[in-house]
PDB file of all heavy atoms in Angstrom:
ATOM      1  N   LYS B 927     185.900 228.311 106.758  1.00 98.00           N
ATOM      2  CA  LYS B 927     185.399 229.299 107.714  1.00 98.00           C
ATOM      3  C   LYS B 927     184.729 230.457 106.980  1.00 98.00           C
ATOM      4  O   LYS B 927     185.125 230.814 105.866  1.00 98.00           O
ATOM      5  CB  LYS B 927     186.508 229.807 108.637  1.00 98.00           C
ATOM      6  CG  LYS B 927     187.451 230.800 108.017  1.00 98.00           C
ATOM      7  CD  LYS B 927     188.278 231.529 109.063  1.00 98.00           C
ATOM      8  CE  LYS B 927     187.783 232.911 109.340  1.00 98.00           C
ATOM      9  NZ  LYS B 927     187.833 233.844 108.213  1.00 98.00           N
ATOM     10  N   ARG B 928     183.722 230.974 107.622  1.00 98.00           N
ATOM     11  CA  ARG B 928     183.035 232.137 107.061  1.00 98.00           C
ATOM     12  C   ARG B 928     183.715 233.397 107.568  1.00 98.00           C
ATOM     13  O   ARG B 928     184.135 233.435 108.739  1.00 98.00           O
ATOM     14  CB  ARG B 928     181.556 232.114 107.507  1.00 98.00           C
ATOM     15  CG  ARG B 928     180.683 232.971 106.645  1.00 98.00           C
ATOM     16  CD  ARG B 928     179.232 232.895 107.094  1.00 98.00           C
ATOM     17  NE  ARG B 928     178.925 234.030 107.944  1.00 98.00           N
ATOM     18  CZ  ARG B 928     177.685 234.376 108.287  1.00 98.00           C
ATOM     19  NH1 ARG B 928     176.663 233.649 107.864  1.00 98.00           N
ATOM     20  NH2 ARG B 928     177.472 235.412 109.051  1.00 98.00           N
ATOM     21  N   SER B 929     183.843 234.398 106.712  1.00 97.00           N
ATOM     22  CA  SER B 929     184.453 235.651 107.179  1.00 97.00           C
ATOM     23  C   SER B 929     183.623 236.186 108.345  1.00 97.00           C
ATOM     24  O   SER B 929     182.394 236.097 108.337  1.00 97.00           O
ATOM     25  CB  SER B 929     184.538 236.675 106.048  1.00 97.00           C
ATOM     26  OG  SER B 929     183.271 236.870 105.451  1.00 97.00           O
ATOM     27  N   GLN B 930     184.320 236.736 109.336  1.00 96.00           N
ATOM     28  CA  GLN B 930     183.610 237.156 110.547  1.00 96.00           C
ATOM     29  C   GLN B 930     182.883 238.485 110.374  1.00 96.00           C
ATOM     30  O   GLN B 930     182.071 238.854 111.209  1.00 96.00           O
ATOM     31  CB  GLN B 930     184.596 237.240 111.716  1.00 96.00           C
ATOM     32  CG  GLN B 930     185.151 235.870 112.060  1.00 96.00           C
ATOM     33  CD  GLN B 930     186.067 235.927 113.251  1.00 96.00           C
ATOM     34  OE1 GLN B 930     185.639 236.177 114.375  1.00 96.00           O
ATOM     35  NE2 GLN B 930     187.356 235.711 113.010  1.00 96.00           N
ATOM     36  N   GLN B 931     183.180 239.179 109.313  1.00 91.00           N
ATOM     37  CA  GLN B 931     182.514 240.463 109.029  1.00 91.00           C
ATOM     38  C   GLN B 931     182.563 241.399 110.229  1.00 91.00           C
ATOM     39  O   GLN B 931     181.535 241.824 110.744  1.00 91.00           O
ATOM     40  CB  GLN B 931     181.072 240.207 108.590  1.00 91.00           C
ATOM     41  CG  GLN B 931     181.006 239.409 107.292  1.00 91.00           C
ATOM     42  CD  GLN B 931     179.586 239.185 106.834  1.00 91.00           C
ATOM     43  OE1 GLN B 931     178.868 238.377 107.394  1.00 91.00           O
ATOM     44  NE2 GLN B 931     179.178 239.928 105.837  1.00 91.00           N
ATOM     45  N   LYS B 932     183.784 241.638 110.649  1.00 89.00           N
ATOM     46  CA  LYS B 932     183.979 242.504 111.817  1.00 89.00           C
ATOM     47  C   LYS B 932     183.568 243.935 111.521  1.00 89.00           C
ATOM     48  O   LYS B 932     183.185 244.673 112.418  1.00 89.00           O
ATOM     49  CB  LYS B 932     185.440 242.437 112.266  1.00 89.00           C
ATOM     50  CG  LYS B 932     185.778 241.076 112.875  1.00 89.00           C
ATOM     51  CD  LYS B 932     187.233 240.961 113.232  1.00 89.00           C
ATOM     52  CE  LYS B 932     187.529 239.600 113.830  1.00 89.00           C
ATOM     53  NZ  LYS B 932     188.957 239.285 113.799  1.00 89.00           N
ATOM     54  N   LYS B 933     183.683 244.318 110.263  1.00 87.00           N
ATOM     55  CA  LYS B 933     183.202 245.659 109.874  1.00 87.00           C
ATOM     56  C   LYS B 933     181.938 245.499 109.044  1.00 87.00           C
ATOM     57  O   LYS B 933     181.748 244.469 108.381  1.00 87.00           O
ATOM     58  CB  LYS B 933     184.272 246.363 109.024  1.00 87.00           C
ATOM     59  CG  LYS B 933     185.456 246.839 109.845  1.00 87.00           C
ATOM     60  CD  LYS B 933     186.598 247.277 108.949  1.00 87.00           C
ATOM     61  CE  LYS B 933     187.554 246.134 108.750  1.00 87.00           C
ATOM     62  NZ  LYS B 933     188.306 246.062 107.564  1.00 87.00           N
ATOM     63  N   THR B 935     181.333 246.749 106.316  1.00 89.00           N
ATOM     64  CA  THR B 935     181.671 246.661 104.898  1.00 89.00           C
ATOM     65  C   THR B 935     182.414 245.366 104.550  1.00 89.00           C
ATOM     66  O   THR B 935     182.729 245.132 103.378  1.00 89.00           O
ATOM     67  CB  THR B 935     182.562 247.853 104.513  1.00 89.00           C
ATOM     68  OG1 THR B 935     183.652 247.897 105.453  1.00 89.00           O
ATOM     69  CG2 THR B 935     181.814 249.167 104.560  1.00 89.00           C
ATOM     70  N   SER B 936     182.694 244.533 105.540  1.00 90.00           N
ATOM     71  CA  SER B 936     183.439 243.289 105.273  1.00 90.00           C
ATOM     72  C   SER B 936     182.638 242.369 104.357  1.00 90.00           C
ATOM     73  O   SER B 936     181.424 242.256 104.508  1.00 90.00           O
ATOM     74  CB  SER B 936     183.698 242.527 106.574  1.00 90.00           C
ATOM     75  OG  SER B 936     184.448 243.269 107.473  1.00 90.00           O
ATOM     76  N   PRO B 937     183.336 241.689 103.423  1.00 94.00           N
ATOM     77  CA  PRO B 937     182.610 240.766 102.540  1.00 94.00           C
ATOM     78  C   PRO B 937     182.181 239.497 103.271  1.00 94.00           C
ATOM     79  O   PRO B 937     182.777 239.134 104.292  1.00 94.00           O
ATOM     80  CB  PRO B 937     183.651 240.429 101.469  1.00 94.00           C
ATOM     81  CG  PRO B 937     184.960 240.591 102.164  1.00 94.00           C
ATOM     82  CD  PRO B 937     184.773 241.701 103.162  1.00 94.00           C
ATOM     83  N   LEU B 938     181.147 238.870 102.756  1.00 95.00           N
ATOM     84  CA  LEU B 938     180.756 237.553 103.263  1.00 95.00           C
ATOM     85  C   LEU B 938     181.388 236.536 102.323  1.00 95.00           C
ATOM     86  O   LEU B 938     181.009 236.440 101.144  1.00 95.00           O
ATOM     87  CB  LEU B 938     179.228 237.414 103.252  1.00 95.00           C
ATOM     88  CG  LEU B 938     178.680 236.033 103.627  1.00 95.00           C
ATOM     89  CD1 LEU B 938     179.059 235.660 105.044  1.00 95.00           C
ATOM     90  CD2 LEU B 938     177.171 235.993 103.465  1.00 95.00           C
ATOM     91  N   ASN B 939     182.405 235.833 102.806  1.00 97.00           N
ATOM     92  CA  ASN B 939     183.015 234.811 101.964  1.00 97.00           C
ATOM     93  C   ASN B 939     183.481 233.619 102.808  1.00 97.00           C
ATOM     94  O   ASN B 939     183.416 233.657 104.043  1.00 97.00           O
ATOM     95  CB  ASN B 939     184.155 235.407 101.119  1.00 97.00           C
ATOM     96  CG  ASN B 939     185.217 236.086 101.959  1.00 97.00           C
ATOM     97  OD1 ASN B 939     185.490 235.681 103.091  1.00 97.00           O
ATOM     98  ND2 ASN B 939     185.829 237.129 101.408  1.00 97.00           N
ATOM     99  N   TYR B 940     183.899 232.589 102.109  1.00 97.00           N
ATOM    100  CA  TYR B 940     184.246 231.316 102.761  1.00 97.00           C
ATOM    101  C   TYR B 940     185.640 230.916 102.313  1.00 97.00           C
ATOM    102  O   TYR B 940     185.907 230.898 101.107  1.00 97.00           O
ATOM    103  CB  TYR B 940     183.231 230.233 102.368  1.00 97.00           C
ATOM    104  CG  TYR B 940     181.824 230.556 102.797  1.00 97.00           C
ATOM    105  CD1 TYR B 940     180.991 231.326 101.991  1.00 97.00           C
ATOM    106  CD2 TYR B 940     181.335 230.114 104.024  1.00 97.00           C
ATOM    107  CE1 TYR B 940     179.698 231.648 102.397  1.00 97.00           C
ATOM    108  CE2 TYR B 940     180.050 230.427 104.434  1.00 97.00           C
ATOM    109  CZ  TYR B 940     179.238 231.202 103.616  1.00 97.00           C
ATOM    110  OH  TYR B 940     177.961 231.514 104.030  1.00 97.00           O
ATOM    111  N   LYS B 941     186.494 230.602 103.263  1.00 97.00           N
ATOM    112  CA  LYS B 941     187.875 230.244 102.916  1.00 97.00           C
ATOM    113  C   LYS B 941     188.269 228.957 103.619  1.00 97.00           C
ATOM    114  O   LYS B 941     187.852 228.720 104.756  1.00 97.00           O
ATOM    115  CB  LYS B 941     188.839 231.345 103.372  1.00 97.00           C
ATOM    116  CG  LYS B 941     188.418 232.735 102.950  1.00 97.00           C
ATOM    117  CD  LYS B 941     189.450 233.401 102.101  1.00 97.00           C
ATOM    118  CE  LYS B 941     188.823 234.656 101.506  1.00 97.00           C
ATOM    119  NZ  LYS B 941     189.667 235.430 100.668  1.00 97.00           N
ATOM    120  N   GLU B 942     189.103 228.183 102.909  1.00 96.00           N
ATOM    121  CA  GLU B 942     189.625 226.969 103.537  1.00 96.00           C
ATOM    122  C   GLU B 942     190.798 227.365 104.426  1.00 96.00           C
ATOM    123  O   GLU B 942     191.716 228.045 103.968  1.00 96.00           O
ATOM    124  CB  GLU B 942     190.069 225.997 102.461  1.00 96.00           C
ATOM    125  CG  GLU B 942     190.248 224.600 102.991  1.00 96.00           C
ATOM    126  CD  GLU B 942     190.451 223.591 101.879  1.00 96.00           C
ATOM    127  OE1 GLU B 942     191.421 223.736 101.113  1.00 96.00           O
ATOM    128  OE2 GLU B 942     189.653 222.655 101.784  1.00 96.00           O
ATOM    129  N   ARG B 943     190.741 226.966 105.664  1.00 97.00           N
ATOM    130  CA  ARG B 943     191.802 227.315 106.620  1.00 97.00           C
ATOM    131  C   ARG B 943     192.169 226.090 107.458  1.00 97.00           C
ATOM    132  O   ARG B 943     191.332 225.232 107.727  1.00 97.00           O
ATOM    133  CB  ARG B 943     191.317 228.424 107.566  1.00 97.00           C
ATOM    134  CG  ARG B 943     190.970 229.731 106.881  1.00 97.00           C
ATOM    135  CD  ARG B 943     192.211 230.466 106.433  1.00 97.00           C
ATOM    136  NE  ARG B 943     191.963 231.678 105.670  1.00 97.00           N
ATOM    137  CZ  ARG B 943     192.443 231.900 104.443  1.00 97.00           C
ATOM    138  NH1 ARG B 943     193.176 231.000 103.819  1.00 97.00           N
ATOM    139  NH2 ARG B 943     192.207 233.047 103.829  1.00 97.00           N
ATOM    140  N   TYR B 954     193.851 229.937 113.184  1.00 98.00           N
ATOM    141  CA  TYR B 954     193.624 229.445 111.818  1.00 98.00           C
ATOM    142  C   TYR B 954     194.637 230.041 110.863  1.00 98.00           C
ATOM    143  O   TYR B 954     195.027 231.194 110.970  1.00 98.00           O
ATOM    144  CB  TYR B 954     192.178 229.653 111.346  1.00 98.00           C
ATOM    145  CG  TYR B 954     191.589 231.028 111.541  1.00 98.00           C
ATOM    146  CD1 TYR B 954     191.631 231.971 110.509  1.00 98.00           C
ATOM    147  CD2 TYR B 954     190.966 231.377 112.729  1.00 98.00           C
ATOM    148  CE1 TYR B 954     191.066 233.230 110.665  1.00 98.00           C
ATOM    149  CE2 TYR B 954     190.414 232.633 112.897  1.00 98.00           C
ATOM    150  CZ  TYR B 954     190.462 233.550 111.876  1.00 98.00           C
ATOM    151  OH  TYR B 954     189.911 234.798 112.041  1.00 98.00           O
ATOM    152  N   TYR B 955     195.053 229.178 109.954  1.00 98.00           N
ATOM    153  CA  TYR B 955     196.163 229.490 109.058  1.00 98.00           C
ATOM    154  C   TYR B 955     195.730 229.324 107.620  1.00 98.00           C
ATOM    155  O   TYR B 955     194.875 228.490 107.302  1.00 98.00           O
ATOM    156  CB  TYR B 955     197.333 228.507 109.295  1.00 98.00           C
ATOM    157  CG  TYR B 955     197.936 228.559 110.667  1.00 98.00           C
ATOM    158  CD1 TYR B 955     197.366 227.854 111.719  1.00 98.00           C
ATOM    159  CD2 TYR B 955     199.089 229.300 110.913  1.00 98.00           C
ATOM    160  CE1 TYR B 955     197.929 227.885 112.989  1.00 98.00           C
ATOM    161  CE2 TYR B 955     199.658 229.341 112.181  1.00 98.00           C
ATOM    162  CZ  TYR B 955     199.070 228.630 113.212  1.00 98.00           C
ATOM    163  OH  TYR B 955     199.637 228.664 114.467  1.00 98.00           O
ATOM    164  N   ASP B 956     196.380 230.075 106.770  1.00 97.00           N
ATOM    165  CA  ASP B 956     196.273 229.835 105.342  1.00 97.00           C
ATOM    166  C   ASP B 956     196.865 228.440 105.118  1.00 97.00           C
ATOM    167  O   ASP B 956     197.707 227.984 105.888  1.00 97.00           O
ATOM    168  CB  ASP B 956     197.118 230.908 104.631  1.00 97.00           C
ATOM    169  CG  ASP B 956     196.790 231.007 103.173  1.00 97.00           C
ATOM    170  OD1 ASP B 956     195.884 230.289 102.716  1.00 97.00           O
ATOM    171  OD2 ASP B 956     197.461 231.802 102.487  1.00 97.00           O
ATOM    172  N   LEU B 967     199.606 232.663 109.548  1.00 98.00           N
ATOM    173  CA  LEU B 967     198.524 232.773 110.526  1.00 98.00           C
ATOM    174  C   LEU B 967     197.535 233.849 110.070  1.00 98.00           C
ATOM    175  O   LEU B 967     197.919 234.959 109.735  1.00 98.00           O
ATOM    176  CB  LEU B 967     199.109 233.162 111.888  1.00 98.00           C
ATOM    177  CG  LEU B 967     198.118 233.364 113.036  1.00 98.00           C
ATOM    178  CD1 LEU B 967     197.475 232.032 113.441  1.00 98.00           C
ATOM    179  CD2 LEU B 967     198.801 234.006 114.249  1.00 98.00           C
ATOM    180  N   LYS B 968     196.262 233.511 110.061  1.00 98.00           N
ATOM    181  CA  LYS B 968     195.223 234.458 109.638  1.00 98.00           C
ATOM    182  C   LYS B 968     194.468 235.053 110.825  1.00 98.00           C
ATOM    183  O   LYS B 968     193.961 236.167 110.751  1.00 98.00           O
ATOM    184  CB  LYS B 968     194.227 233.747 108.713  1.00 98.00           C
ATOM    185  CG  LYS B 968     194.760 233.482 107.345  1.00 98.00           C
ATOM    186  CD  LYS B 968     195.004 234.803 106.662  1.00 98.00           C
ATOM    187  CE  LYS B 968     195.290 234.659 105.196  1.00 98.00           C
ATOM    188  NZ  LYS B 968     195.438 235.983 104.572  1.00 98.00           N
ATOM    189  N   GLY B 969     194.349 234.290 111.881  1.00 98.00           N
ATOM    190  CA  GLY B 969     193.624 234.808 113.051  1.00 98.00           C
ATOM    191  C   GLY B 969     193.589 233.779 114.159  1.00 98.00           C
ATOM    192  O   GLY B 969     194.014 232.637 113.967  1.00 98.00           O
ATOM    193  N   TYR B 970     193.105 234.214 115.300  1.00 98.00           N
ATOM    194  CA  TYR B 970     192.971 233.267 116.411  1.00 98.00           C
ATOM    195  C   TYR B 970     191.919 233.757 117.404  1.00 98.00           C
ATOM    196  O   TYR B 970     191.567 234.951 117.421  1.00 98.00           O
ATOM    197  CB  TYR B 970     194.316 233.047 117.133  1.00 98.00           C
ATOM    198  CG  TYR B 970     194.876 234.279 117.782  1.00 98.00           C
ATOM    199  CD1 TYR B 970     194.500 234.632 119.080  1.00 98.00           C
ATOM    200  CD2 TYR B 970     195.774 235.090 117.117  1.00 98.00           C
ATOM    201  CE1 TYR B 970     195.002 235.777 119.677  1.00 98.00           C
ATOM    202  CE2 TYR B 970     196.281 236.238 117.711  1.00 98.00           C
ATOM    203  CZ  TYR B 970     195.894 236.573 118.979  1.00 98.00           C
ATOM    204  OH  TYR B 970     196.377 237.710 119.565  1.00 98.00           O
ATOM    205  N   TYR B1000     182.511 234.385 120.815  1.00 96.00           N
ATOM    206  CA  TYR B1000     183.361 235.121 121.743  1.00 96.00           C
ATOM    207  C   TYR B1000     182.997 236.589 121.627  1.00 96.00           C
ATOM    208  O   TYR B1000     181.994 236.916 120.968  1.00 96.00           O
ATOM    209  CB  TYR B1000     184.838 234.818 121.470  1.00 96.00           C
ATOM    210  CG  TYR B1000     185.383 235.304 120.155  1.00 96.00           C
ATOM    211  CD1 TYR B1000     186.345 236.297 120.112  1.00 96.00           C
ATOM    212  CD2 TYR B1000     184.933 234.773 118.949  1.00 96.00           C
ATOM    213  CE1 TYR B1000     186.868 236.739 118.906  1.00 96.00           C
ATOM    214  CE2 TYR B1000     185.435 235.225 117.745  1.00 96.00           C
ATOM    215  CZ  TYR B1000     186.394 236.195 117.728  1.00 96.00           C
ATOM    216  OH  TYR B1000     186.893 236.655 116.535  1.00 96.00           O
ATOM    217  N   LEU B1005     182.128 232.958 115.293  1.00 98.00           N
ATOM    218  CA  LEU B1005     183.027 232.496 114.231  1.00 98.00           C
ATOM    219  C   LEU B1005     182.391 231.207 113.712  1.00 98.00           C
ATOM    220  O   LEU B1005     182.198 230.255 114.471  1.00 98.00           O
ATOM    221  CB  LEU B1005     184.414 232.215 114.818  1.00 98.00           C
ATOM    222  CG  LEU B1005     185.404 231.422 113.955  1.00 98.00           C
ATOM    223  CD1 LEU B1005     185.700 232.122 112.639  1.00 98.00           C
ATOM    224  CD2 LEU B1005     186.718 231.196 114.714  1.00 98.00           C
TER     225      LEU B1005
HETATM  226  C1  4IP E1573     188.383 238.543 104.261  1.00 64.21           C
HETATM  227  O1  4IP E1573     187.916 238.598 102.951  1.00 64.21           O
HETATM  228  C2  4IP E1573     188.680 237.114 104.669  1.00 64.21           C
HETATM  229  O2  4IP E1573     187.505 236.307 104.561  1.00 64.21           O
HETATM  230  C3  4IP E1573     189.161 237.078 106.098  1.00 64.21           C
HETATM  231  O3  4IP E1573     189.357 235.737 106.505  1.00 64.21           O
HETATM  232  C4  4IP E1573     188.185 237.708 107.041  1.00 64.21           C
HETATM  233  O4  4IP E1573     188.789 237.809 108.303  1.00 64.21           O
HETATM  234  C5  4IP E1573     187.796 239.098 106.631  1.00 64.21           C
HETATM  235  O5  4IP E1573     186.740 239.524 107.461  1.00 64.21           O
HETATM  236  C6  4IP E1573     187.343 239.173 105.179  1.00 64.21           C
HETATM  237  O6  4IP E1573     187.150 240.518 104.854  1.00 64.21           O
HETATM  238  P1  4IP E1573     188.958 238.949 101.756  1.00 64.21           P
HETATM  239  O7  4IP E1573     190.046 237.918 101.829  1.00 64.21           O
HETATM  240  O8  4IP E1573     188.128 238.862 100.522  1.00 64.21           O
HETATM  241  O9  4IP E1573     189.463 240.310 102.089  1.00 64.21           O
HETATM  242  P2  4IP E1573     190.828 235.130 106.693  1.00 64.21           P
HETATM  243  O10 4IP E1573     191.450 235.947 107.774  1.00 64.21           O
HETATM  244  O11 4IP E1573     190.627 233.702 107.076  1.00 64.21           O
HETATM  245  O12 4IP E1573     191.493 235.300 105.371  1.00 64.21           O
HETATM  246  P3  4IP E1573     188.356 237.082 109.650  1.00 64.21           P
HETATM  247  O13 4IP E1573     188.147 238.188 110.600  1.00 64.21           O
HETATM  248  O14 4IP E1573     187.102 236.289 109.391  1.00 64.21           O
HETATM  249  O15 4IP E1573     189.518 236.228 109.992  1.00 64.21           O
HETATM  250  P4  4IP E1573     186.870 240.790 108.459  1.00 64.21           P
HETATM  251  O16 4IP E1573     185.606 240.811 109.211  1.00 64.21           O
HETATM  252  O17 4IP E1573     188.061 240.550 109.358  1.00 64.21           O
HETATM  253  O18 4IP E1573     187.035 241.953 107.554  1.00 64.21           O
END
Side-chain angles (χ1 to χ4, degrees):
K927 77 165 258 297
R928 199 179 97 167
S929 54
Q930 295 183 68
Q931 297 182 285
K932 290 176 180 162
K933 286 169 266 152
T935 52
S936 300
L938 174 62
N939 56 32
Y940 299 86
K941 311 239 169 180
E942 196 170 60
R943 298 287 175 237
Y954 49 95
Y955 298 84
D956 196 3
L967 178 68
K968 286 295 191 177
Y970 63 87
Y1000 66 114
L1005 166 60

